[in-house]
Amino acid sequence: MKKILLYPFCIVLLTLGFLTASAQSIDSTLARYADKYQAEKTYLHFDKAAYVPGETVWFKAYILKDYLPAEESKNFYVDWITPNGEVLHHTVGPVVDGATNGQFDIPAGYEGAFIHVRAYTRWMLNFDTAFLFSKDLRILPKSGAAKQAPVKQAPVFTLQFFPEGGDAIAGISNRIAFKANDQWGYPARVRGVIADSKGSVIDSFRSVHNGMGYLTLQPKDGLTYTARWKDEKGIDHTTQLPAIRTGGVGLQVSLSGNKRIITLTPSGAADAQPVHLIGTMNQRMAFKTDVPLKAGEPARRIIPTENLPSGILTITLFDAGWKAIAERITFINNNEYTFQPGFEVQHWGLSKRGRNDLQISIPDQLAGANLSISVTDIGMERDTTSTIISSLMLESDIRGAVYNPSYYFKDSSNEKAQQLDLVMMTHGWRRFQWEEIAKGKLPVLTFPKDTSYLFFSGKVYGVAKGQLSGTDNMFLLLKEKDSGTKTLVMPLHTDGSFGDPDMILFDTVKVYYQLKSKFFSNAEARFMTDRLPAPNYSGFSKALLSRNVLGDTTGTYRHRLLASEALRLQQQQEGKTLENVTVTAKTKSPVQVLDDKYTSALFRSGDGYQFDLVNDPSAVSQLNIFNYLQGKVAGLQISMSGTTPTLTWRGGSPQLYLDETPVDAEVLNSLPVADIAYVKVFRPPFMGGFNSANGAVAIYTRKGGDQQSSSGKGLSNNVVAGYTQLRQFYVPNYQSFSKENEKPDLRTTLYWNPLLMANTKGKKAVVSFFN
């Protein structure tokens, strides 16, 4: 008898223990999600809505984490992709206070109808890529270009049904939303009836907003249901409704001002068990409540929302065993995310090329503001369908494209709220996998956060374990664009890695390197190994804007006209031959030109010898610079008997310099003579540096503009990419005299400033630009 009673008792205890553990697991896992796995989202502000091949796209990126500027991620990536999935460019920008900016030059010969832009941080790649920022930038054909006849493609309409909560349940009243659109995602007007499998017409329906609407259906067990409907062309269609569940608990959410009314309806006595409701926002728990159910009686809960942040509230229903059985999203809009800036015109430029002065101020309750502003020609096309508000508050948290999302934020009327609720009912959204949450499982991270900026770094491969002692060095020559050469001696860690966190790369550099040990002859250095490459977009979707490429409008015509004329004048200017100009002046010798170009003040004076390797054809044939100098300097003895050359002058060793940085002979021995432009040998004593009582030999590597001789045996080299170079947006100044001001002004973007800062003292920012 004891055994018979003991088993049920143990089962009850085990069940209660499991339920308690599941509830605690969900609570603790959600807390860890909010703390360690908070997602980031971004919005890109472009200077205008459409572009012409050859133009520059200017952009500002805003990156948020949990409603605040993302401060941990330091690097931001933007991919510029053709309709065929080819990456035109993979730009990388440094993030400061949750923002960055940049530009992209559209190739002059680009023929695509759009460029797809995808933007993200490394951290964002750990989660569903459906939530990455994506936008198609429309590319207008150049004026005068051969126009292709538009392909007339008939619209293909589809109709989808979405039972509220996820499933339609037999025996209870279900609200079923629907959405009709064409193959391009544009909404379609539809009307029709619902019939059961016996042929009886149950109800009628019609779209009420952007192809969306809903109907109420109480299905019967064992029957199926079909929609017979007409599209806006009057063509007949049939669509099967989703399968009907035989049992369960219905979930309905209704809007009532700043409240959400949740109604739970069990389909029968078997489903009338206690259930659990959890609300989450931005991966944080907003509320949790238990709801007892009775057979045949709906249960209601009222959720106040006035103290919740704006955004998507996910309401999830769990059964008694903490298994998710229904889910519904609803949008909370308390308007706390917006502010109205002050906008004062201090001076209107009412004439051609007149100056405009604007003052922008922010409300007193804000500590400061980081803004971006674009001013464009008023005749240009505009795209107001998506804004920073609709993107960050809605689009970045919902799966699937929303048609004209900014419409829902134009005002806070009840009509807009009800229409937005249709968007909630017809778009799938699932940030959590509740089965994993209940087990306490967290996502596996593939990409760590970029918590440091892109600094010069790398790793040496091809070295056996144990060969690196931690005291080894590598010699580096860095050649930046339009600048001289920088020499470095960088320590190697025992794992082969190297780097300098203080050396941030803001452009591409050419790197020559040498590993200073005979044991590393087969080793190879790879640079910036942590830099995130562009993803593979080979299977990328084709045109999302295919229907948007329509005939001319006044805005697109004006844009093409101005851009094409600007391109014509630019080509004309590039091809114009300059008139001959006769200049009378005392010319400098080639050696004097090199001395002025390469040496600083300390190395410009002094008694010695000068060698011009740029104009010496015999220099290329020398194995190294020491072979070249042998016998050319009286008193300087150069011995090549060992592996490393030795130099003596007046009983001591002269100091060696590479680009005016002290080095040893081993470094110079491997430097290609073809990379050397100028050598200056100073007789003892040389007063321009330390330890130079026995003279000095200064070696200078070539800069841009020097004639490059054929390369001989030299150092290993590589091209290392850092951040994408930032450019300044050009704003003409018509109040000052300049030859440039006489040219025609065909700008379509008059002013672009991605770093408009309203300071904390006056909280004002001033903008000036010319017509």
Side-chain angles (χ1 to χ4, degrees):
M1 187 65 174
K2 288 181 180 178
K3 290 181 179 179
I4 294 173
L5 292 176
L6 183 61
Y7 288 143
F9 183 65
C10 289
I11 291 172
V12 171
L13 286 178
L14 288 171
T15 302
L16 289 174
F18 172 75
L19 295 180
T20 302
S22 296
Q24 292 175 347
S25 177
I26 286 177
D27 290 354
S28 62
T29 305
L30 284 178
R32 292 174 66 188
Y33 249 105
D35 184 39
K36 301 292 185 182
Y37 297 88
Q38 194 62 236
E40 295 173 341
K41 50 188 176 181
T42 183
Y43 173 76
L44 266 62
H45 175 202
F46 298 97
D47 66 305
K48 53 189 175 185
Y51 298 86
V52 172
E55 288 188 323
T56 299
V57 180
W58 302 89
F59 69 90
K60 166 77 170 283
Y62 297 89
I63 306 102
L64 292 187
K65 173 189 172 185
D66 197 13
Y67 304 105
L68 296 173
E71 296 182 347
E72 291 179 295
S73 290
K74 300 300 184 185
N75 304 310
F76 189 76
Y77 304 89
V78 184
D79 296 331
W80 309 84
I81 314 162
T82 70
N84 295 324
E86 176 190 356
V87 179
L88 293 172
H89 201 34
H90 176 66
T91 60
V92 189
V95 178
V96 179
D97 294 331
T100 188
N101 63 282
Q103 73 287 322
F104 168 68
D105 296 326
I106 303 173
Y110 187 74
E111 297 180 351
F114 70 91
I115 291 176
H116 186 80
V117 181
R118 177 161 285 195
Y120 50 90
T121 63
R122 185 190 294 257
W123 178 253
M124 292 168 67
L125 297 178
N126 288 304
F127 309 102
D128 195 333
T129 55
F131 301 111
L132 301 182
F133 179 88
S134 296
K135 185 178 178 64
D136 287 332
L137 291 182
R138 187 176 176 190
I139 307 300
L140 306 175
K142 296 177 184 177
S143 180
K147 295 183 179 179
Q148 297 179 350
V151 179
K152 293 185 178 181
Q153 188 175 356
V156 178
F157 299 104
T158 57
L159 180 63
Q160 296 173 284
F161 288 92
F162 304 88
E164 188 172 14
D167 295 294
I169 302 171
I172 63 174
S173 178
N174 297 265
R175 192 161 53 182
I176 302 177
F178 61 86
K179 179 177 67 172
N181 52 261
D182 61 21
Q183 69 267 41
W184 300 288
Y186 285 71
R189 297 187 303 275
V190 296
R191 56 186 174 85
V193 296
I194 303 296
D196 62 22
S197 50
K198 294 181 179 181
S200 302
V201 174
I202 307 301
D203 200 358
S204 63
F205 66 91
R206 67 171 56 239
S207 55
V208 295
H209 170 68
N210 282 347
M212 297 179 291
Y214 73 88
L215 56 93
T216 302
L217 179 67
Q218 186 167 335
K220 295 180 180 179
D221 193 11
L223 296 181
T224 59
Y225 296 85
T226 302
R228 301 199 295 260
W229 54 281
K230 291 180 182 290
D231 61 32
E232 54 192 39
K233 304 292 185 181
I235 301 175
D236 292 320
H237 304 266
T238 59
T239 300
Q240 194 78 18
L241 267 66
I244 307 300
R245 280 186 57 185
T246 57
V249 180
L251 168 65
Q252 289 189 7
V253 178
S254 302
L255 280 59
S256 179
N258 57 3
K259 298 180 178 62
R260 295 295 181 270
I261 301 174
I262 303 173
T263 303
L264 306 177
T265 307
S267 64
D271 300 308
Q273 300 181 21
V275 292
H276 315 284
L277 272 176
I278 286 183
T280 53
M281 294 193 75
N282 208 30
Q283 298 178 239
R284 298 182 183 275
M285 187 178 293
F287 68 85
K288 185 173 84 168
T289 181
D290 297 333
V291 183
L293 296 179
K294 294 181 181 180
E297 295 184 17
R300 289 183 175 84
R301 289 292 184 270
I302 298 177
I303 308 298
T305 61
E306 63 268 19
N307 293 322
L308 292 176
S310 295
I312 291 179
L313 169 65
T314 304
I315 300 170
T316 309
L317 177 65
F318 298 84
D319 64 14
W322 285 98
K323 178 183 177 183
I325 57 175
E327 192 167 80
R328 165 80 145 86
I329 61 174
T330 182
F331 194 86
I332 310 301
N333 193 358
N334 290 321
N335 290 299
E336 83 285 0
Y337 50 82
T338 116
F339 69 90
Q340 185 63 42
F343 188 87
E344 178 185 348
V345 179
Q346 296 181 331
H347 180 262
W348 270 134
L350 301 179
S351 62
K352 177 182 178 180
R353 300 191 176 185
R355 175 170 175 165
N356 304 277
D357 296 320
L358 313 176
Q359 181 174 274
I360 299 173
S361 58
I362 62 173
D364 292 336
Q365 64 266 29
L366 296 181
N370 184 346
L371 312 169
S372 54
I373 182 171
S374 175
V375 180
T376 59
D377 187 296
I378 198 170
M380 296 269 293
E381 65 284 337
R382 293 189 299 162
D383 180 11
T384 59
T385 58
S386 180
T387 65
I388 188 171
I389 292 176
S390 66
S391 177
L392 292 175
M393 303 301 298
L394 175 63
E395 297 170 79
S396 60
D397 278 335
I398 202 169
R399 192 183 299 279
V402 180
Y403 178 75
N404 196 14
S406 65
Y407 166 83
Y408 303 102
F409 298 90
K410 292 184 182 298
D411 57 61
S412 301
S413 65
N414 182 63
E415 180 186 21
K416 289 285 195 305
Q418 296 292 340
Q419 292 169 341
L420 181 54
D421 201 47
L422 284 175
V423 176
M424 298 292 99
M425 295 177 67
T426 55
H427 283 73
W429 191 96
R430 180 62 66 92
R431 183 74 77 177
F432 293 127
Q433 296 293 335
W434 287 111
E435 296 82 2
E436 304 296 319
I437 295 290
K439 297 175 184 177
K441 290 186 177 181
L442 294 167
V444 177
L445 299 180
T446 306
F447 300 94
K449 281 187 179 178
D450 278 330
T451 55
S452 61
Y453 293 109
L454 288 181
F455 62 88
F456 183 77
S457 63
K459 192 172 183 178
V460 173
Y461 293 86
V463 179
K465 187 177 181 180
Q467 278 189 288
L468 292 171
S469 62
T471 60
D472 302 287
N473 295 323
M474 67 185 302
F475 170 75
L476 298 147
L477 284 173
L478 276 70
K479 290 187 175 182
E480 299 178 332
K481 293 180 180 178
D482 304 323
S483 62
T485 303
K486 184 177 183 179
T487 59
L488 295 173
V489 177
M490 191 160 286
L492 294 175
H493 302 298
T494 54
D495 63 350
S497 63
F498 57 89
D500 182 359
D502 295 327
M503 187 177 172
I504 309 298
L505 292 184
F506 288 99
D507 202 350
T508 300
V509 297
K510 183 77 173 286
V511 177
Y512 297 84
Y513 67 92
Q514 179 191 30
L515 299 168
K516 298 175 65 175
S517 173
K518 63 182 180 180
F519 300 108
F520 304 154
S521 57
N522 295 322
E524 176 191 3
R526 300 179 188 174
F527 300 92
M528 310 299 285
T529 53
D530 292 333
R531 192 180 192 271
L532 186 67
N536 183 4
Y537 293 102
S538 58
F540 196 64
S541 171
K542 301 282 184 179
L544 297 178
L545 270 183
S546 54
R547 184 178 176 184
N548 200 25
V549 184
L550 301 175
D552 289 344
T553 65
T554 56
T556 57
Y557 174 77
R558 178 170 175 78
H559 189 166
R560 289 204 312 269
L561 187 67
L562 291 172
S564 298
E565 180 64 12
L567 182 62
R568 186 188 70 81
L569 291 175
Q570 178 183 347
Q571 293 172 342
Q572 184 184 56
Q573 185 68 22
E574 291 174 352
K576 186 178 180 181
T577 304
L578 294 177
E579 296 180 0
N580 293 328
V581 178
T582 302
V583 178
T584 303
K586 184 179 180 180
T587 60
K588 294 183 178 180
S589 67
V591 169
Q592 289 175 320
V593 171
L594 289 174
D595 197 67
D596 291 341
K597 182 176 182 179
Y598 285 98
T599 60
S600 65
L602 292 176
F603 286 77
R604 192 153 295 171
S605 58
D607 182 21
Y609 303 81
Q610 297 168 285
F611 300 95
D612 174 6
L613 277 72
V614 172
N615 299 298
D616 186 351
S618 66
V620 181
S621 62
Q622 302 296 326
L623 293 177
N624 52 52
I625 192 61
F626 299 110
N627 285 114
Y628 177 82
L629 291 175
Q630 272 186 320
K632 286 185 170 64
V633 178
L636 177 63
Q637 302 296 320
I638 301 178
S639 173
M640 306 292 294
S641 59
T643 57
T644 302
T646 57
L647 289 79
T648 57
W649 205 350
R650 294 186 184 179
S653 298
Q655 179 64 56
L656 302 178
Y657 293 92
L658 180 62
D659 295 324
E660 301 184 357
T661 300
V663 294
D664 55 33
E666 183 182 356
V667 171
L668 296 177
N669 193 41
S670 298
L671 182 64
V673 177
D675 289 341
I676 299 174
Y678 181 51
V679 178
K680 199 168 186 178
V681 181
F682 298 91
R683 291 188 181 93
F686 171 55
M687 308 307 295
F690 298 103
N691 302 320
S692 300
N694 298 101
V697 179
I699 313 292
Y700 295 90
T701 55
R702 294 174 183 265
K703 292 182 181 180
D706 292 333
Q707 181 182 357
Q708 182 66 47
S709 303
S710 58
S711 180
K713 180 181 178 181
L715 301 176
S716 301
N717 63 83
N718 208 330
V719 176
V720 179
Y723 288 116
T724 305
Q725 186 178 23
L726 296 179
R727 298 206 310 269
Q728 186 79 20
F729 183 84
Y730 171 71
V731 178
N733 182 4
Y734 290 133
Q735 291 183 330
S736 64
F737 175 78
S738 171
K739 194 73 174 176
E740 291 291 317
N741 293 345
E742 298 178 7
K743 296 180 180 179
D745 191 341
L746 302 166
R747 294 171 297 146
T748 51
T749 299
L750 279 68
Y751 181 79
W752 166 255
N753 188 348
L755 300 174
L756 189 67
M757 312 299 292
N759 59 54
T760 56
K761 179 183 283 187
K763 297 183 181 179
K764 291 178 174 57
V766 178
V767 171
S768 297
F769 64 92
F770 292 86
N771 298 336

